[in-house]
Amino acid sequence: MKVIITGANGQLGKSLIKTKPEYIKIIPSDRNNLNLLDKDSIHKFIETAKPDWIINCAAYTNVDQAEKEKKLAYQINASGPKEISKVLRNIGGNLLHISTDFVFDGKSNLPYKT
């Protein structure tokens, strides 16, 4: 099984790579080879790798600064993952998108709505 991990140089990405099962081939990515601000970069990297899964650990994480750079934060945290899902739909892969309690606090007893 091939898995792309976005944000592979971040805390979560590094932890996932370190603890992965042996049978999983990890394809690490960061903004240098899969730039969430660049649709062409997203499509090219994923279509070349043809992963079974992508675990999206990449994000704009500076919450206070995101209030000032709303467009940039939206592009990285929403538009980028949307493009990832489009490519995966075409090649038959799956997406696991990881978020934080700043978006989902985990207190709801009902499914979250988009």
Side-chain angles (χ1 to χ4, degrees):
M1 177 184 307
K2 288 193 296 186
V3 177
I4 291 175
I5 294 184
T6 65
N9 292 325
Q11 184 177 1
L12 180 58
K14 286 180 181 177
S15 294
L16 289 175
I17 292 169
K18 184 178 177 181
T19 60
K20 73 156 186 80
E22 276 190 37
Y23 66 91
I24 294 179
K25 178 184 178 190
I26 297 292
I27 303 167
S29 70
D30 59 25
R31 69 183 72 162
N32 294 316
N33 58 9
L34 194 157
N35 184 339
L36 293 179
L37 298 173
D38 181 353
K39 288 181 182 182
D40 291 336
S41 170
I42 293 168
H43 285 258
K44 182 178 178 182
F45 190 83
I46 297 170
E47 288 169 353
T48 300
K50 294 182 178 40
D52 300 294
W53 282 88
I54 293 180
I55 302 175
N56 185 26
C57 301
Y60 188 111
T61 58
N62 184 333
V63 177
D64 293 331
Q65 189 64 27
E67 291 294 323
K68 297 174 186 158
E69 297 182 321
K70 291 178 183 181
K71 183 177 179 184
L72 179 62
Y74 188 86
Q75 288 175 308
I76 293 170
N77 294 343
S79 299
K82 181 178 180 180
E83 283 304 310
I84 290 172
S85 69
K86 286 179 183 179
V87 181
L88 289 173
R89 184 176 4 166
N90 291 336
I91 67 168
N94 301 286
L95 173 64
L96 174 61
H97 180 78
I98 298 176
S99 189
T100 69
D101 63 346
F102 286 98
V103 177
F104 302 107
D105 64 11
K107 295 179 182 176
S108 176
N109 291 324
L110 300 171
Y112 290 99
K113 295 183 180 200
T114 55

